[in-house]
Amino acid sequence: MYQLTDNHGRAINYLRLAVTDRCNLRCFYCMPEEGIDYLPKPHLLSFEEMERIVRVLVGMGINKVRITGGEPFVRRGIMEFIEKISRIEGLNQINITTNGVLTAPLVPDLKRLGVKSVNLSLDTLDRQRFFEVTRRDEFERVMQTFDAVLEHGLDLKINAVVMAGKNAQDIIPLAELTRHQKVSVRFIEEMPFNGAGANQYDELWSYPKILAALKIHFPTLQKLPDPPNSTAYNYFVPGFKGTIGIIAAYSRTFCGTCNRIRLTPQGVFKTCLYDEGVFNLRDMVRTGMSDDSLRSNIANVLRLRAKDGFEAEARRTSHITESMTTIGG
Ligand code: SAM
Ligand code: SF4
């Protein structure tokens, strides 16, 4: 079977598919308070176009897709789309990243469709701080999703971006969730994808800084082996049910084994989170390009892939100003 590979010998088997740029929260680190200019609907890939692209990519060795956004569940028709791609032979794993506002009632269907794991964004367990971070009062509905995912036996990962002056005090309460719950709580370094460019990163909550805070509270914290292609460095506290991860998304120490590509809601194909996008698959699809030509364009561009996020960023022609909601995280 064909396996898409990049110019650094890395097998590419994982697609992160952002199905919309719309969102019902306004997370401080992701979007400005007033929101962003959403793309006009015709600029978004239709679900039919996405399904075709997923099929093409699965034929090239992609066997794992993460549905992200924006908030995936604000797009009408998303469950039907997941159902369709769940039938694609060779696509072994569909995972979801969600803010959890609309997700709880859908969890039984996600399970039925074979979704294996849900990444839930949750930066604090304090309702008031949740409001300050997300600028919306939706803490309760998010916690309902937390409960529903565990109740239905899907793998649950919590994604918490750690921000100086915002939620550093939440690191320990979030990590404490692993004491009694089979959940993986992952702390993410903040990246400059907030729709306005870089913050001051002098105070970055880096991987070593987060780890040091954890070790003070959990002196018995132990390192777990890193699964292949993992972006998280994983730890556990002996006797606890869950695990704790740290994702060095800004320090970019995990790029060496990167197996992922990205597709934005408007069809921009990205070979790195930090690149500007290498071409637009929507335009190729809409000009009637054959599957064979799509495949050869994709294979060719992977031969020019940056070795890491620093090289990808250095190749950009403009500074980062995009919001994560238009990329998919
Ligand atoms: N709306 C969904 C959610 O929040 O889970 C999916 C999309 S969101 C863009 C995907 C992930 O990106 C979330 O876990 C979020 O915490 C993370 N993210 C967004 N902006 C970020 C930033 N500036 N730095 C680090 N992570 C960020
Ligand atoms: Fe929306 Fe997710 Fe961005 Fe928060 S992180 S604003 S929930 S897309």
Side-chain angles (χ1 to χ4, degrees), residues 23 26 48 52 64 113 146 153 165 216 266 272 295 303:
C23 189
R26 290 287 176 277
E48 290 71 28
R52 176 172 170 211
K64 182 172 157 190
L113 296 176
F146 180 100
I216 291 171
Q266 70 271 41
C272 174
R295 272 191 282 273
R303 290 191 196 112

Side-chain angles (χ1 to χ4, degrees), residues 29-30 68-71 97-99 121 159 161 188-191 193 324 328-329:
Y29 45 77
C30 179
T68 176
E71 173 50 33
T97 300
T98 175
N99 64 27
S121 296
N159 285 347
V161 180
I188 308 177
E189 290 179 354
E190 185 181 3
M191 295 180 281
F193 297 105
M324 194 69 115

Side-chain angles (χ1 to χ4, degrees), residues 146-158:
F146 180 100
D147 293 337
V149 172
L150 285 180
E151 195 183 306
H152 287 86
L154 278 74
D155 292 345
L156 177 61
K157 292 181 183 160
I158 299 299

Side-chain angles (χ1 to χ4, degrees), residues 26-45:
R26 290 287 176 277
C27 301
F28 170 81
Y29 45 77
C30 179
M31 270 214 248
E33 187 157 14
E34 65 282 8
I36 54 161
D37 292 333
Y38 288 141
L39 294 161
K41 188 98 191 290
H43 290 218
L44 299 177
L45 282 168

